[in-house]
Amino acid sequence: MTKTGRTINFTLIMVAITASLGGLLSGFDMGVISGALLYINETWELSSVEQGWLVSSAIVGSIIGAAANGYLADIYGRKKIIIATALIFIVGSIMCGYAHTAGWLMFSRIIIGIAVGMISFVAPIYLSEIAPEKIRGTLVSLYQLALTAGILLSYLINRIFANAEYNWRWMLASGALPAIILLVGILFLHDTPRWLISKGKIDEAKEVFKKIYNTDKVDTQVKEIQKTMEGSNKKSKVSIQKWMLVPIFVGVGLMFVQICTGINTIIYFAPTIFKLAGFADNIGAIYATIGIGVVNFLMTFVAIAYTDKFGRKPLLYIGLSGMLISMLTLSWGFTLGEAGKWLAVISLVVYIASFAMSLGPICWIMVSEIMPLKIRGFAMSAATASNFIFNSIIVFSFLPLLDIIGKNNTFLIFGFTIILSLFFVYFFVPETKGISLEKIEDNWRKHVSPRKF
């Protein structure tokens, strides 16, 4: 029993696990293209720019999905958007498997990207809105854990089909399987009580609260949420008020920090980077990439264990510091030629471990926490869309940058971005550990400094 009078029950755990499977889809899409790209180049000879377009085409779709569905999530609810996501992902995966031209494959990946953009904002919202504040960080971290599991699964799928006929087609089409699992699971879940209250479905919200929280304070919880919503509507009928712009700015900033420090150059291009570092063949590069996926998955448990214990910001400081050291070391390793091969491996392992226990889960946790309830779907959509915009810029420019300024200078740029990110976290990002979503919103409304939350 927690101090709030709630216990963690089986229903809450199952709801959280099922909703977090959306991360599995995102992770699978991110990771599977890394190995498939090696073999797609054997089917069609693609330039570095064309390869960049192929990888970033899914990100273009993600921008569309994230931007277009914020209002829809507020209007139709979180559950319906998750159902639509699973269906779109299934269709897109099958289309990828049957692609007969590079252009058709890019279009199919845009379809998948739309689903990824939708799930990337709605799953963390769903998890944050059902979770008690004492364990909210842990439950929302399940999304990132599922994402890293999806990345690892995709790396394993890449290895399984590496020597098969139609190898990359099987790799990409396999994404339909986790989407089917999500679709079946979400059909049995309720929508979040906070969204139900926002639509006046008070009795239904109370029933959901009773099922997912073992608490005798349902009426108090409902009244607190209603009071917060009334405060949002009191001064103006306009959906977005001036005070709401600050959390949106912080959310977009967190997405910048998560992406522009270089993570997706590792996720999307790890086999390519390992080959640049000296691995001779595709299979060796894929095995090394699987090792990265294992570290990414396991280190996410650190965030799950400690984000509600130590807080969000301490883990961000530790993770960013480790990432900075790794990027500087990786840049130096590329100047050593063959001698830097294993130094590059160690640097990537430390980098991915540092990211997995900090920026990976915590940025999604905090973005889902800091947005005002009345515009949470829209605001989360805006932040997620910015994530994919940053992602598309980084992924599309990565291979050309390697050609133009060299490997070591490219990773030095990411090191400089990490330094800027440390300053942003210190001055603009609030600590949200143990604070209810309603209290966080009240702090924004009262213009409390992020450093004094």
Side-chain angles (χ1 to χ4, degrees), residues 401-422:
L401 273 177
L402 292 178
D403 293 337
I404 296 170
I405 66 175
K407 295 168 287 197
N408 58 316
N409 289 329
T410 298
F411 288 102
L412 277 179
I413 292 175
F414 291 125
F416 177 73
T417 305
I418 294 171
I419 294 173
L420 294 179
S421 299
L422 282 165

Side-chain angles (χ1 to χ4, degrees), residues 278-323:
F279 285 84
D281 59 77
N282 290 347
I283 298 298
I286 288 176
Y287 273 126
T289 302
I290 291 173
I292 292 294
V294 171
V295 172
N296 191 22
F297 176 72
L298 293 178
M299 287 302 294
T300 304
F301 285 99
V302 175
I304 292 175
Y306 294 109
T307 185
D308 285 319
K309 184 176 181 180
F310 294 154
R312 289 35 162 169
K313 293 184 72 170
L315 291 182
L316 287 177
Y317 291 138
I318 295 170
L320 283 167
S321 299
M323 291 164 64

Side-chain angles (χ1 to χ4, degrees), residues 12-22 127 142 146:
L12 176 59
I13 293 172
M14 293 308 299
V15 168
I17 291 174
T18 302
S20 67
L21 288 177
L127 289 165
L142 291 177

Side-chain angles (χ1 to χ4, degrees), residues 194 197-200 202 219-239 241 243-244 372-375 438 441-442 445:
R194 285 178 171 84
I197 291 171
S198 74
K199 297 303 176 183
I202 308 302
D219 290 336
T220 302
Q221 184 75 15
V222 170
K223 289 178 181 178
E224 184 179 357
I225 295 171
Q226 289 177 313
K227 182 180 178 181
T228 299
M229 294 185 64
E230 289 170 1
S232 296
N233 293 328
K234 188 181 297 181
K235 295 183 180 180
S236 173
K237 294 182 179 180
V238 178
S239 295
Q241 300 167 26
W243 65 268
M244 297 177 179
L373 175 60
K374 189 64 179 177
I375 62 163
E438 289 68 44
E441 181 167 334
D442 190 52
R445 188 183 292 107

Side-chain angles (χ1 to χ4, degrees), residues 1-2 5-17 130 132 135 139 142 207-216 218:
M1 181 76 69
T2 68
R6 299 170 185 152
T7 60
I8 306 172
N9 61 37
F10 178 76
T11 301
L12 176 59
I13 293 172
M14 293 308 299
V15 168
I17 291 174
I130 66 167
I135 59 167
L139 290 190
L142 291 177
E207 288 301 314
V208 176
F209 266 131
K210 289 176 182 177
K211 289 180 179 179
I212 63 176
Y213 297 168
N214 288 332
T215 178
D216 54 2
V218 169

Side-chain angles (χ1 to χ4, degrees), residues 66-384:
N69 288 283
Y71 282 117
L72 295 180
D74 285 336
I75 295 171
Y76 297 108
R78 300 12 175 164
K79 177 180 176 178
K80 289 185 178 67
I81 298 300
I82 296 176
I83 291 173
T85 292
L87 291 171
I88 294 171
F89 203 96
I90 292 169
V91 172
S93 297
I94 295 173
M95 289 173 63
C96 283
Y98 282 98
H100 57 278
T101 66
W104 180 256
L105 180 57
M106 291 180 190
F107 175 75
S108 301
R109 283 185 49 74
I110 289 175
I111 300 299
I112 287 180
I114 291 173
V116 171
M118 293 165 65
I119 199 65
S120 294
F121 80 83
V122 77
I125 287 178
Y126 190 102
L127 289 165
S128 71
E129 289 186 348
I130 66 167
E133 56 268 18
K134 296 295 183 182
I135 59 167
R136 189 175 58 239
T138 298
L139 290 190
V140 180
S141 293
L142 291 177
Y143 173 82
Q144 182 66 21
L145 180 66
L147 189 147
T148 61
I151 293 172
L152 178 56
L153 174 64
S154 70
Y155 290 162
L156 294 173
I157 289 292
N158 286 344
R159 177 60 191 91
I160 289 171
F161 291 115
N163 294 325
E165 188 178 7
Y166 308 120
N167 40 30
W168 64 264
R169 296 182 184 277
W170 286 111
M171 293 174 184
L172 298 179
S174 297
L177 295 178
I180 292 172
I181 296 173
L182 174 63
L183 177 62
V184 173
I186 198 65
L187 291 175
F188 294 94
L189 301 188
H190 299 277
D191 221 312
T192 70
R194 285 178 171 84
W195 179 81
L196 292 170
I197 291 171
S198 74
K199 297 303 176 183
K201 301 179 180 180
I202 308 302
D203 292 337
E204 189 176 346
K206 288 181 179 180
E207 288 301 314
V208 176
F209 266 131
K210 289 176 182 177
K211 289 180 179 179
I212 63 176
Y213 297 168
N214 288 332
T215 178
D216 54 2
K217 298 182 179 180
V218 169
D219 290 336
T220 302
Q221 184 75 15
V222 170
K223 289 178 181 178
E224 184 179 357
I225 295 171
Q226 289 177 313
K227 182 180 178 181
T228 299
M229 294 185 64
E230 289 170 1
S232 296
N233 293 328
K234 188 181 297 181
K235 295 183 180 180
S236 173
K237 294 182 179 180
V238 178
S239 295
I240 301 180
Q241 300 167 26
K242 289 184 179 180
W243 65 268
M244 297 177 179
L245 296 177
V246 178
I248 293 175
F249 165 77
V250 175
V252 172
L254 284 168
M255 295 295 95
F256 176 89
V257 170
Q258 187 186 65
I259 296 301
C260 294
T261 48
I263 179 60
N264 283 336
T265 62
I266 310 300
I267 299 301
Y268 287 117
F269 297 108
T272 302
I273 293 173
F274 282 127
K275 292 193 74 174
L276 290 173
F279 285 84
D281 59 77
N282 290 347
I283 298 298
I286 288 176
Y287 273 126
T289 302
I290 291 173
I292 292 294
V294 171
V295 172
N296 191 22
F297 176 72
L298 293 178
M299 287 302 294
T300 304
F301 285 99
V302 175
I304 292 175
Y306 294 109
T307 185
D308 285 319
K309 184 176 181 180
F310 294 154
R312 289 35 162 169
K313 293 184 72 170
L315 291 182
L316 287 177
Y317 291 138
I318 295 170
L320 283 167
S321 299
M323 291 164 64
L324 176 60
I325 294 171
S326 302
M327 278 299 181
L328 296 178
T329 305
L330 180 62
S331 176
W332 175 57
F334 278 124
T335 67
L336 302 178
E338 180 66 21
K341 173 180 176 179
W342 291 106
L343 184 61
V345 172
I346 294 171
S347 298
L348 289 184
V349 168
V350 174
Y351 176 92
I352 206 74
S354 300
F355 178 88
M357 54 82 66
S358 60
L359 269 66
I362 291 176
C363 286
W364 287 116
I365 291 171
M366 299 194 75
V367 168
S368 70
E369 292 175 324
I370 64 176
M371 300 305 185
L373 175 60
K374 189 64 179 177
I375 62 163
R376 187 164 294 151
F378 163 76
M380 188 72 176
S381 173
T384 306

